[in-house]
Amino acid sequence: MFIYKTTLDSYNNHPTCRYRSIVTCALHKYKELHVNEKANERQLNIIFLLIIGTFTLILLSFAYLSNSLSLRYLETDTKMISHELARILNEKATSTSSSDKDTELAKYFEDQSSEYTDEGFSLWLLDSSGDIVAEAPGNAIEFKSSFLDSVKEPDKLFFDANTGGNSLFFADKTIYIARIFSNGSYSLILENDGSKERQIQRMQYVVIFSIGVILIITLLVLISNMFSRYKNRLLQLATTDELTGLANRKYFTAEFNRRMVLNSDESGKYSIFLLDIDLFKQINDKYGHAAGDAALSMLAAYIKTMVSKANGFAGRWGGDEFIGVINLPSAEAKALLFELCKNIQQDSPKKETPFTISVGITSVQSGMTLSHVCENADLALYESKKNGRNTVSVFSDAMAKAEKDISVIANVNTNQQQNLTETMSLDIDTTLKAEPQETRLSLKEVLRERFLPGIIFAVKWMTPFVAAGGILIASAFLFDAASFDLSKLSVDERASLGSMTSISTYMKYLGDTTFNFMLPVFSAFMAYSLAGESAFMAGLVGGYMVIDTNSGFIGAAIAGLAAGIISREINIFTDRLPKFIRGAAPIVIYPIFSLTIVQAISIFMIRPTTVVLGSVFNTILDNAKLISKPLTCTIAAGMMSVDMGGIINKIAYNYGLASIDARDTMIMAAVMAGGMVPPIGIAISIMLFRDKFCTDEKNGGIMALFMGLSFITEGALPFVITDFIRVIPSCIAGSAVSGLMSSIFGCSLPAPHGGIFVLPLVEHPLLYMLSILTGSMVTAIILGFLKKKEDT
């Protein structure tokens, strides 16, 4: 309605009927746009369904082709080996003329057949009456009476029923064939259990499945990015002024009200300014509207740069008027805006459209409405116009008093007015300059304003490394699990899963390497958010130093915080040094001093703290094990959710690793279940209680679900940071429940990582999934009830 009212005001000299026609046209356009958006959304959904359907058909076709080729290979291999072996035995039987022919032929048969038993074949030599003369050493199965049927129809392939293998694999079928030689005196029976082909085919399936998972994830990411760009574009159109790129009036009002609520206790620390271009109508009349638009765009670019330095925001108020909020008291804001006026006067094109600006400033007090603040800023702006334009004026109580009594203002001397308003003219040589924001704010203020946003900023950059590394590690375990018959592996061999084949070893190495970047990236970007570019390198190295401390992202956060604080203080110190020394600061001073101090903090603070906490919690877990193993599993699983990848989480995980070495794999199963529950539970809670989560949290639900299924507990970090008090207790409760149920069901797991990808290794896999699902539901329900709608 505001748009329509503005349109009416711009045509206030025209009849009312024109306003009605404008409103009717706008409504028609809105309905048309709304219908088009729905149509486009339906078309996108249809296109995505067709893409997914086509992709699924392609994968199924590859799988079917793989089955067919494997079966053909199995048949051909069996025929060729049986034919070749029968030919050799026939030559031996023909050349043997001794009375003990059966014995010599049996010995020769055993020598020739021994090399095939290692490849999954079982072989028997029969005489003409069907009695076994010899069998190959190392046969995998006993002779079956059904094999004699093949003697009646030699050279024909027979298929036995599946003997416990996976029915998804045709290669699990047992094939046997009979070959008669030596004029019917002997027959060779060869049975192929398909183990070699089955292993090859499973590897093919893993490759197909891995490609499918990668493509599906890629498709989902592309779809998510497409929708995000679409939503961001709509949001930009709704909240941004098209010409200047600044916030429009509606969005500025909403953002101002939001910040007033968040910073209600910081009265007087913020200033609001209102400015416009002097004699803007004359610019339009003399140079044309295109020149006026260019002047507005130029001014908007300068305003953007200025407010970004002062942690503020700005918008176009209407016409040539701009409004903005600066995170500075009015006295310091005055100097900053004075520099803006000076820059505009100097940089505006003198021959084309020279222009200047006038500015009014007022401080923002707690409880003030935007209307009240704008009224004060407008009075200050009017004062700048009265004092010759191209000036900056700060609102004072005298202005408000003078405005109420016009007769008094008319009699006041001009010099007295200047004393009341603290006006600066650009004709006066002044030494006031706007210092960098970082040097004006105290360390306490910097931490209060930037610590939490810094963590959120760092988590955003860390998440891709966590997700990619975790999924690669999980895929390595999946590849090995599909490449071997797990029932035939010992406990020690199962513990080596993830590095039993060259492909899985490479995937696990790549995953571990990517995963190890998580802490340096988190620490570097956290330091960067606190102190800028000068702190990035110290944060990166500090994060690398804490990898071996097993302190997780908690240690990285401490390192990033230390790097940011140290770099900020060094920056302030070097600003006081001579200019020729300041030039060398980024190369010499920043790295040496910041790295030395950060390393000292890592060695003498983070590492000892981790060791002490590890000793304490390991003792607690050991004592709990003496009481009851389910109690140990419950505590260890709950610890996985205390800090989501931090010190306590790593202590529980390392305890689970130690239990694998001690052949007690039940604890590792509980630890993994406890680590999977937080992201999964949060994702489920978002699905069940959508009205209690903000848009960003809803968008992150799918990623949290994927990360949880891959055993990446850090997937819950974005939600923990924004709502620590509610998320942590909910996740601890759900993780503890899942660990307890897993131990009661007797679930065990010899693999240290992998999530659902190592489910085939779990003892009682269905009950294990039930434990994880139950714990996730507990987390989802508790979190849903704790969250409040007004928090969104």
Side-chain angles (χ1 to χ4, degrees):
M1 193 62 195
F2 168 76
I3 297 173
Y4 307 145
K5 186 70 176 79
T6 305
T7 305
L8 177 61
D9 292 339
S10 63
Y11 290 95
N12 54 11
N13 294 325
H14 292 262
T16 308
C17 60
R18 180 161 188 175
Y19 167 70
R20 291 176 180 172
S21 64
I22 292 171
V23 173
T24 304
C25 180
L27 288 174
H28 176 73
K29 291 291 184 183
Y30 172 78
K31 291 179 180 179
E32 183 179 347
L33 178 62
H34 188 62
V35 171
N36 290 337
E37 286 178 358
K38 285 193 171 182
N40 291 336
E41 186 177 352
R42 284 194 296 268
Q43 291 175 2
L44 284 174
N45 290 335
I46 293 173
I47 291 172
F48 290 144
L49 288 176
L50 288 175
I51 293 174
I52 293 174
T54 304
F55 175 70
T56 304
L57 288 176
I58 292 174
L59 286 183
L60 291 176
S61 300
F62 275 117
Y64 179 77
L65 180 62
S66 174
N67 278 328
S68 301
L69 292 176
S70 297
L71 184 58
R72 298 289 83 79
Y73 178 79
L74 181 65
E75 294 173 353
T76 303
D77 194 34
T78 304
K79 286 182 178 180
M80 290 180 61
I81 292 176
S82 63
H83 181 271
E84 179 65 20
L85 191 57
R87 184 187 64 79
I88 296 173
L89 291 173
N90 183 58
E91 292 177 355
K92 179 65 177 177
T94 304
S95 62
T96 302
S97 57
S98 64
S99 58
D100 199 7
K101 183 177 182 178
D102 287 353
T103 303
E104 288 190 21
L105 190 61
K107 184 177 180 182
Y108 184 76
F109 167 79
E110 291 175 356
D111 293 339
Q112 295 295 322
S113 61
S114 59
E115 62 179 291
Y116 296 107
T117 54
D118 294 335
E119 298 181 10
F121 291 94
S122 297
L123 305 97
W124 295 270
L125 179 64
L126 279 65
D127 58 18
S128 57
S129 60
D131 296 330
I132 299 176
V133 176
E135 63 178 59
N139 278 349
I141 63 172
E142 298 291 334
F143 185 82
K144 298 179 182 180
S145 59
S146 59
F147 291 166
L148 295 175
D149 296 336
S150 63
V151 179
K152 300 176 183 178
E153 300 182 66
D155 304 331
K156 178 183 177 181
L157 288 172
F158 288 82
F159 295 89
D160 202 357
N162 192 294
T163 55
N166 193 327
S167 59
L168 291 175
F169 299 96
F170 289 146
D172 278 350
K173 291 184 177 180
T174 299
I175 297 180
Y176 57 94
I177 188 174
R179 298 283 187 179
I180 297 177
F181 60 93
S182 189
N183 298 322
S185 300
Y186 298 97
S187 58
L188 168 69
I189 294 181
L190 183 144
E191 184 267 349
N192 187 353
D193 64 2
S195 59
K196 183 174 70 173
E197 289 77 11
R198 183 168 58 249
Q199 181 172 341
I200 295 174
Q201 190 178 16
R202 280 177 171 166
M203 292 179 69
Q204 293 173 345
Y205 272 155
V206 168
V207 172
I208 293 174
F209 178 77
S210 300
I211 293 174
V213 169
I214 292 172
L215 290 179
I216 288 175
I217 293 176
T218 303
L219 182 62
L220 290 174
V221 171
L222 290 176
I223 293 173
S224 177
N225 288 340
M226 185 180 296
F227 277 114
S228 296
R229 288 196 298 269
Y230 182 65
K231 289 172 62 178
N232 291 338
R233 178 58 180 161
L234 291 177
L235 183 62
Q236 183 181 10
L237 291 173
T239 60
T240 306
D241 178 67
E242 185 176 2
L243 175 63
T244 63
L246 296 174
N248 58 24
R249 184 165 184 162
K250 181 178 180 181
Y251 180 68
F252 181 88
T253 302
E255 182 67 11
F256 176 84
N257 292 333
R258 187 184 71 85
R259 294 202 180 195
M260 283 297 293
V261 172
L262 293 176
N263 304 293
S264 57
D265 58 339
E266 298 184 2
S267 180
K269 293 186 178 181
Y270 293 87
S271 300
I272 194 166
F273 65 85
L274 194 63
L275 63 84
D276 66 5
I277 297 177
D278 296 327
L279 305 174
F280 183 66
K281 186 176 184 302
Q282 294 182 12
I283 294 176
N284 283 332
D285 294 341
K286 183 176 181 180
Y287 300 101
H289 289 280
D293 290 344
L296 291 173
S297 300
M298 174 186 171
L299 177 57
Y302 276 76
I303 292 174
K304 284 181 186 178
T305 304
M306 180 197 66
V307 296
S308 64
K309 293 180 180 179
N311 290 336
F313 68 102
R316 186 180 180 185
W317 198 236
D320 64 324
E321 282 191 329
F322 294 87
I323 191 170
V325 173
I326 300 179
N327 187 19
L328 293 172
S330 57
E332 297 182 24
K334 181 180 182 180
L336 192 61
L337 285 159
F338 172 74
E339 289 294 326
L340 175 66
C341 289
K342 186 176 179 180
N343 291 334
I344 291 294
Q345 184 187 32
Q346 293 175 350
D347 298 342
S348 63
K350 302 297 185 294
K351 295 182 179 180
E352 298 175 5
T353 54
F355 67 94
T356 59
I357 60 173
S358 298
V359 187
I361 308 173
T362 183
S363 61
V364 180
Q365 303 297 329
S366 178
M368 293 181 69
T369 63
L370 181 59
S371 176
H372 187 190
V373 175
C374 287
E375 183 179 347
N376 293 345
D378 194 51
L379 289 174
L381 175 60
Y382 178 71
E383 189 68 27
S384 294
K385 297 291 186 182
K386 284 174 36 176
N387 286 280
R389 300 184 178 87
N390 199 18
T391 60
V392 181
S393 299
V394 178
F395 171 78
S396 66
D397 292 336
M399 288 184 185
K401 183 179 180 182
E403 180 68 17
K404 293 179 181 179
D405 191 354
I406 299 176
S407 61
V408 174
I409 294 178
N411 295 326
V412 171
N413 187 278
T414 304
N415 293 330
Q416 293 175 331
Q417 289 181 349
Q418 291 177 347
N419 292 333
L420 290 172
T421 59
E422 295 183 350
T423 300
M424 279 190 201
S425 174
L426 293 177
D427 296 330
I428 299 175
D429 184 18
T430 177
T431 57
L432 277 176
K433 292 184 179 179
E435 297 179 356
Q437 172 69 3
E438 287 78 3
T439 62
R440 284 190 295 269
L441 294 177
S442 66
L443 177 61
K444 182 178 180 181
E445 290 172 331
V446 170
L447 293 178
R448 185 176 67 249
E449 295 176 7
R450 299 185 184 179
F451 180 68
L452 185 58
I455 294 180
I456 298 174
F457 178 72
V459 168
K460 174 185 175 182
W461 287 97
M462 176 189 75
T463 301
F465 293 89
V466 178
I471 292 174
L472 283 171
I473 294 172
S475 299
F477 284 98
L478 172 65
F479 195 92
D480 276 356
S483 300
F484 295 93
D485 190 348
L486 300 179
S487 62
K488 296 181 180 180
L489 297 180
S490 64
V491 175
D492 292 335
E493 289 173 330
R494 290 189 180 192
S496 300
L497 280 170
S499 56
M500 297 182 70
T501 62
S502 58
I503 295 178
S504 62
T505 301
Y506 171 74
M507 294 174 68
K508 189 171 186 299
Y509 171 77
L510 183 60
D512 288 335
T513 303
T514 306
F515 209 76
N516 285 336
F517 274 100
M518 171 186 72
L519 299 182
V521 168
F522 177 87
S523 179
F525 280 99
M526 183 174 178
Y528 175 81
S529 68
L530 293 175
E533 297 175 358
S534 61
F536 187 86
M537 190 269 288
L540 186 70
V541 178
Y544 179 79
M545 291 176 181
V546 301
I547 292 177
D548 295 332
T549 64
N550 286 324
S551 57
F553 93 95
I554 297 293
I558 296 173
L561 178 63
I565 293 174
I566 294 165
S567 298
R568 176 185 179 277
E569 297 301 320
I570 294 175
N571 187 15
I572 295 174
F573 171 75
T574 54
D575 282 343
R576 304 188 184 99
L577 299 177
K579 188 175 181 179
F580 69 92
I581 297 179
R582 289 203 303 269
I587 303 174
V588 180
I589 299 177
Y590 291 153
I592 293 177
F593 283 92
S594 60
L595 287 180
T596 303
I597 299 174
V598 169
Q599 184 183 26
I601 292 173
S602 174
I603 295 175
F604 298 108
M605 291 181 59
I606 299 176
R607 189 186 298 273
T609 302
T610 304
V611 171
V612 171
L613 290 175
S615 176
V616 171
F617 280 99
N618 283 330
T619 302
I620 293 174
L621 291 170
D622 288 337
N623 292 333
K625 189 188 293 186
L626 298 175
I627 301 173
S628 170
K629 186 173 289 186
L631 177 61
T632 306
C633 294
T634 304
I635 296 174
M639 289 170 59
M640 293 295 291
S641 295
V642 172
D643 51 7
M644 307 295 178
I647 298 176
I648 308 300
N649 174 281
K650 297 303 180 187
I651 292 172
Y653 180 70
N654 288 330
Y655 193 84
L657 292 180
S659 70
I660 294 180
D661 296 336
R663 303 293 182 88
D664 187 2
T665 54
M666 184 182 292
I667 296 177
M668 188 67 237
V671 167
M672 186 174 291
M676 293 171 66
V677 162
I680 298 176
I682 292 172
I684 295 175
S685 184
I686 291 174
M687 298 176 190
L688 298 178
F689 304 94
R690 293 190 64 83
D691 58 334
K692 296 189 175 183
F693 292 86
C694 68
T695 303
D696 290 340
E697 290 173 330
K698 293 175 185 176
N699 294 337
I702 297 296
M703 179 59 72
L705 180 61
F706 273 113
M707 295 176 74
L709 293 175
S710 302
F711 184 41
I712 305 173
T713 315
E714 288 84 355
L717 279 178
F719 305 91
V720 173
I721 293 169
T722 56
D723 197 359
F724 176 86
I725 297 177
R726 296 181 179 88
V727 174
I728 290 295
S730 306
C731 292
I732 292 176
S735 295
V737 169
S738 67
L740 176 62
M741 292 181 63
S742 172
S743 61
I744 292 175
F745 291 147
C747 301
S748 59
L749 176 65
H753 209 287
I756 62 168
F757 296 100
V758 293
L759 197 60
L761 300 178
V762 178
E763 189 83 16
H764 312 304
L766 295 180
L767 293 176
Y768 189 65
M769 287 301 298
L770 177 62
S771 303
I772 296 173
L773 180 60
T774 303
S776 301
M777 288 301 299
V778 170
T779 294
I781 293 173
I782 294 177
L783 180 59
F785 280 111
L786 290 179
K787 293 278 283 186
K788 297 179 180 180
K789 291 183 179 180
E790 56 267 26
D791 292 337
T792 59

